[in-house]
mmCIF file of all heavy atoms in Angstrom:
data_model
loop_
_atom_site.group_PDB
_atom_site.id
_atom_site.type_symbol
_atom_site.label_atom_id
_atom_site.label_comp_id
_atom_site.label_asym_id
_atom_site.label_seq_id
_atom_site.Cartn_x
_atom_site.Cartn_y
_atom_site.Cartn_z
ATOM 1 N N VAL A 581 3.057 6.304 -5.639
ATOM 2 C CA VAL A 581 2.639 6.498 -7.047
ATOM 3 C C VAL A 581 1.711 7.716 -7.132
ATOM 4 O O VAL A 581 1.895 8.545 -8.028
ATOM 5 C CB VAL A 581 1.968 5.213 -7.599
ATOM 6 C CG1 VAL A 581 1.281 5.476 -8.913
ATOM 7 C CG2 VAL A 581 2.933 4.062 -7.693
ATOM 8 N N ILE A 584 3.733 10.958 -6.657
ATOM 9 C CA ILE A 584 4.569 11.319 -7.837
ATOM 10 C C ILE A 584 3.684 11.777 -8.997
ATOM 11 O O ILE A 584 4.033 12.689 -9.674
ATOM 12 C CB ILE A 584 5.464 10.103 -8.216
ATOM 13 C CG1 ILE A 584 6.556 9.947 -7.125
ATOM 14 C CG2 ILE A 584 6.096 10.346 -9.594
ATOM 15 C CD1 ILE A 584 7.410 8.732 -7.303
ATOM 16 N N CYS A 595 2.411 27.943 -13.938
ATOM 17 C CA CYS A 595 1.565 27.946 -12.744
ATOM 18 C C CYS A 595 1.691 29.260 -11.970
ATOM 19 O O CYS A 595 0.765 29.700 -11.314
ATOM 20 C CB CYS A 595 1.883 26.799 -11.841
ATOM 21 S SG CYS A 595 1.433 25.194 -12.571
ATOM 22 N N PRO A 611 -0.854 42.667 -19.508
ATOM 23 C CA PRO A 611 -1.310 43.506 -18.377
ATOM 24 C C PRO A 611 -0.283 43.589 -17.285
ATOM 25 O O PRO A 611 0.431 42.639 -16.977
ATOM 26 C CB PRO A 611 -2.551 42.759 -17.898
ATOM 27 C CG PRO A 611 -2.323 41.324 -18.327
ATOM 28 C CD PRO A 611 -1.525 41.393 -19.583
ATOM 29 N N VAL A 614 0.080 48.054 -10.936
ATOM 30 C CA VAL A 614 0.811 48.155 -9.650
ATOM 31 C C VAL A 614 0.101 49.214 -8.782
ATOM 32 O O VAL A 614 -0.727 49.977 -9.234
ATOM 33 C CB VAL A 614 2.284 48.549 -9.876
ATOM 34 C CG1 VAL A 614 3.024 47.529 -10.707
ATOM 35 C CG2 VAL A 614 2.394 49.938 -10.484
ATOM 36 N N GLU A 617 2.813 53.546 -3.185
ATOM 37 C CA GLU A 617 2.746 53.801 -1.737
ATOM 38 C C GLU A 617 2.979 55.251 -1.397
ATOM 39 O O GLU A 617 3.039 55.629 -0.255
ATOM 40 C CB GLU A 617 3.747 52.935 -1.011
ATOM 41 C CG GLU A 617 3.436 51.433 -1.233
ATOM 42 C CD GLU A 617 4.527 50.551 -0.696
ATOM 43 O OE1 GLU A 617 5.514 51.011 -0.098
ATOM 44 O OE2 GLU A 617 4.373 49.317 -0.836
ATOM 45 N N HIS A 638 11.661 50.012 -21.835
ATOM 46 C CA HIS A 638 12.054 50.605 -20.566
ATOM 47 C C HIS A 638 11.640 52.090 -20.527
ATOM 48 O O HIS A 638 11.889 52.833 -21.504
ATOM 49 C CB HIS A 638 13.571 50.523 -20.362
ATOM 50 C CG HIS A 638 14.025 49.121 -20.058
ATOM 51 N ND1 HIS A 638 15.304 48.813 -19.770
ATOM 52 C CD2 HIS A 638 13.315 47.920 -20.004
ATOM 53 C CE1 HIS A 638 15.407 47.527 -19.555
ATOM 54 N NE2 HIS A 638 14.240 46.978 -19.688
ATOM 55 N N PHE A 644 10.458 57.204 -22.497
ATOM 56 C CA PHE A 644 10.809 55.926 -23.083
ATOM 57 C C PHE A 644 12.302 55.953 -23.433
ATOM 58 O O PHE A 644 12.794 56.871 -24.023
ATOM 59 C CB PHE A 644 9.956 55.642 -24.312
ATOM 60 C CG PHE A 644 10.441 54.530 -25.189
ATOM 61 C CD1 PHE A 644 10.620 53.257 -24.672
ATOM 62 C CD2 PHE A 644 10.754 54.721 -26.528
ATOM 63 C CE1 PHE A 644 11.071 52.199 -25.483
ATOM 64 C CE2 PHE A 644 11.197 53.720 -27.334
ATOM 65 C CZ PHE A 644 11.352 52.432 -26.791
ATOM 66 N N LYS A 651 16.654 45.048 -30.450
ATOM 67 C CA LYS A 651 16.348 45.358 -31.813
ATOM 68 C C LYS A 651 15.035 44.708 -32.296
ATOM 69 O O LYS A 651 14.250 45.331 -33.047
ATOM 70 C CB LYS A 651 17.509 44.909 -32.717
ATOM 71 C CG LYS A 651 17.395 45.313 -34.150
ATOM 72 C CD LYS A 651 18.609 44.917 -34.950
ATOM 73 C CE LYS A 651 18.507 45.367 -36.378
ATOM 74 N NZ LYS A 651 19.683 45.070 -37.163
ATOM 75 N N ARG A 656 7.616 48.203 -32.132
ATOM 76 C CA ARG A 656 6.477 47.296 -31.914
ATOM 77 C C ARG A 656 5.897 47.340 -30.518
ATOM 78 O O ARG A 656 5.043 46.522 -30.158
ATOM 79 C CB ARG A 656 6.907 45.868 -32.241
ATOM 80 C CG ARG A 656 7.379 45.654 -33.645
ATOM 81 C CD ARG A 656 7.509 44.153 -34.034
ATOM 82 N NE ARG A 656 8.323 43.344 -33.138
ATOM 83 C CZ ARG A 656 7.896 42.266 -32.527
ATOM 84 N NH1 ARG A 656 6.643 41.831 -32.654
ATOM 85 N NH2 ARG A 656 8.692 41.585 -31.709
ATOM 86 N N PHE A 664 -0.498 55.641 -16.244
ATOM 87 C CA PHE A 664 0.468 55.387 -15.160
ATOM 88 C C PHE A 664 -0.056 55.821 -13.837
ATOM 89 O O PHE A 664 0.197 55.174 -12.821
ATOM 90 C CB PHE A 664 1.781 56.128 -15.464
ATOM 91 C CG PHE A 664 2.588 55.516 -16.599
ATOM 92 C CD1 PHE A 664 3.692 56.210 -17.092
ATOM 93 C CD2 PHE A 664 2.270 54.304 -17.194
ATOM 94 C CE1 PHE A 664 4.435 55.695 -18.120
ATOM 95 C CE2 PHE A 664 2.995 53.792 -18.217
ATOM 96 C CZ PHE A 664 4.127 54.488 -18.710
ATOM 97 N N ASP A 675 2.346 43.469 -34.071
ATOM 98 C CA ASP A 675 2.928 42.630 -35.137
ATOM 99 C C ASP A 675 3.615 41.408 -34.542
ATOM 100 O O ASP A 675 4.796 41.169 -34.726
ATOM 101 C CB ASP A 675 3.854 43.440 -35.999
ATOM 102 C CG ASP A 675 4.294 42.687 -37.264
ATOM 103 O OD1 ASP A 675 3.536 41.802 -37.719
ATOM 104 O OD2 ASP A 675 5.435 42.958 -37.750
ATOM 105 N N LEU A 676 2.830 40.598 -33.814
ATOM 106 C CA LEU A 676 3.406 39.427 -33.110
ATOM 107 C C LEU A 676 4.111 38.453 -34.044
ATOM 108 O O LEU A 676 3.665 38.170 -35.123
ATOM 109 C CB LEU A 676 2.285 38.698 -32.346
ATOM 110 C CG LEU A 676 1.718 39.461 -31.157
ATOM 111 C CD1 LEU A 676 0.548 38.681 -30.582
ATOM 112 C CD2 LEU A 676 2.792 39.698 -30.125
ATOM 113 N N LEU A 678 6.456 34.569 -33.935
ATOM 114 C CA LEU A 678 6.606 33.348 -33.163
ATOM 115 C C LEU A 678 7.676 33.522 -32.102
ATOM 116 O O LEU A 678 7.556 32.992 -30.992
ATOM 117 C CB LEU A 678 6.914 32.155 -34.078
ATOM 118 C CG LEU A 678 5.774 31.654 -34.960
ATOM 119 C CD1 LEU A 678 6.272 30.544 -35.860
ATOM 120 C CD2 LEU A 678 4.606 31.190 -34.105
ATOM 121 N N TYR A 684 7.441 36.985 -20.017
ATOM 122 C CA TYR A 684 7.622 38.417 -19.924
ATOM 123 C C TYR A 684 7.538 38.829 -18.471
ATOM 124 O O TYR A 684 6.745 38.298 -17.709
ATOM 125 C CB TYR A 684 6.585 39.210 -20.734
ATOM 126 C CG TYR A 684 6.770 39.109 -22.216
ATOM 127 C CD1 TYR A 684 6.388 37.981 -22.921
ATOM 128 C CD2 TYR A 684 7.341 40.167 -22.912
ATOM 129 C CE1 TYR A 684 6.602 37.927 -24.295
ATOM 130 C CE2 TYR A 684 7.519 40.127 -24.267
ATOM 131 C CZ TYR A 684 7.165 38.975 -24.941
ATOM 132 O OH TYR A 684 7.378 38.872 -26.314
ATOM 133 N N TYR A 696 9.971 47.406 -5.736
ATOM 134 C CA TYR A 696 9.531 47.051 -7.082
ATOM 135 C C TYR A 696 8.258 46.219 -7.004
ATOM 136 O O TYR A 696 8.114 45.357 -6.123
ATOM 137 C CB TYR A 696 10.600 46.187 -7.789
ATOM 138 C CG TYR A 696 11.603 46.990 -8.555
ATOM 139 C CD1 TYR A 696 12.800 47.334 -8.024
ATOM 140 C CD2 TYR A 696 11.329 47.360 -9.869
ATOM 141 C CE1 TYR A 696 13.735 48.051 -8.740
ATOM 142 C CE2 TYR A 696 12.252 48.080 -10.600
ATOM 143 C CZ TYR A 696 13.475 48.414 -10.018
ATOM 144 O OH TYR A 696 14.379 49.134 -10.753
ATOM 145 N N LYS A 743 5.879 -6.904 -5.106
ATOM 146 C CA LYS A 743 4.772 -7.744 -4.634
ATOM 147 C C LYS A 743 5.112 -9.229 -4.868
ATOM 148 O O LYS A 743 4.877 -10.053 -4.007
ATOM 149 C CB LYS A 743 3.502 -7.348 -5.338
ATOM 150 C CG LYS A 743 2.275 -7.978 -4.779
ATOM 151 C CD LYS A 743 1.032 -7.428 -5.470
ATOM 152 C CE LYS A 743 -0.235 -8.070 -4.931
ATOM 153 N NZ LYS A 743 -1.417 -7.541 -5.585
ATOM 154 N N MET A 751 10.359 -19.479 0.285
ATOM 155 C CA MET A 751 9.830 -20.685 -0.336
ATOM 156 C C MET A 751 10.931 -21.401 -1.081
ATOM 157 O O MET A 751 11.820 -20.821 -1.616
ATOM 158 C CB MET A 751 8.692 -20.325 -1.303
ATOM 159 C CG MET A 751 7.502 -19.638 -0.628
ATOM 160 S SD MET A 751 6.284 -19.135 -1.831
ATOM 161 C CE MET A 751 5.451 -20.661 -2.087
ATOM 162 N N THR A 752 10.827 -22.726 -1.081
ATOM 163 C CA THR A 752 11.757 -23.540 -1.870
ATOM 164 C C THR A 752 11.337 -23.552 -3.312
ATOM 165 O O THR A 752 10.174 -23.265 -3.580
ATOM 166 C CB THR A 752 11.844 -24.983 -1.322
ATOM 167 O OG1 THR A 752 10.511 -25.581 -1.544
ATOM 168 C CG2 THR A 752 12.203 -25.027 0.165
#
Side-chain angles (χ1 to χ4, degrees):
V581 170
I584 290 174
C595 293
V614 299
E617 298 172 2
H638 288 184
F644 166 57
K651 187 176 181 177
R656 300 193 307 123
F664 290 170
D675 190 25
L676 290 175
L678 288 177
Y684 287 78
Y696 269 96
K743 190 175 179 180
M751 298 176 80
T752 65

